[in-house]
């Protein structure tokens, strides 16, 4: 058998502030994916990953700080 799939989802809850997403695909023995989330301090963490029989699991993590402008009356 040759396993193959794809999925993705995202959550953007304005009431709680929860924001995250995840997507992944598999074709045979190779898996590729990415997930991201917004930390409580506003930092976005994005993780991209791959996995296969030859190289095992590998990932790359990037963080980006969001600067929010506040308008006061």
């Amino acid at each position: 058998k040759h396993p193959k799939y794809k999925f993705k989802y995202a959550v953007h809850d304005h009431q709680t502030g929860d924001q995250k997403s995840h997507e992944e695909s598999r074709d045979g023995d190779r898996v590729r994916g990415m997930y991201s989330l917004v930390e409580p301090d506003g930092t976005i963490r994005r993780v991209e990953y791959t996995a296969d029989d030859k190289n095992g699991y590998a990932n790359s993590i990037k963080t980006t700080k969001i600067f929010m402008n506040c308008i006061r009356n």
Side-chain angles (χ1 to χ4, degrees):
K1 289 188 173 186
H2 185 85
K4 192 170 186 174
Y5 66 79
K6 285 185 182 182
F7 75 82
K8 68 179 177 177
Y9 69 86
V11 174
H12 297 279
D13 188 325
H14 297 288
Q15 185 175 0
T16 65
D18 189 17
Q19 294 184 38
K20 57 189 164 198
S21 64
H22 186 185
E23 59 185 71
E24 183 176 287
S25 63
R26 180 176 182 176
D27 190 358
D29 291 331
R30 184 175 172 98
V31 176
R32 297 176 60 108
M34 179 281 302
Y35 65 89
S36 68
L37 58 98
V38 178
E39 301 280 2
D41 69 354
T43 301
I44 298 173
R45 182 181 351 151
R46 179 181 171 100
V47 179
E48 297 179 5
Y49 60 91
T50 60
D52 60 40
D53 286 345
K54 182 178 179 182
N55 300 303
Y57 175 82
N59 68 38
S60 170
I61 302 171
K62 297 176 186 174
T63 56
T64 305
K65 181 69 175 173
I66 298 175
F67 294 98
M68 304 181 123
N69 292 329
C70 296
I71 300 173
R72 295 185 181 175
N73 294 329

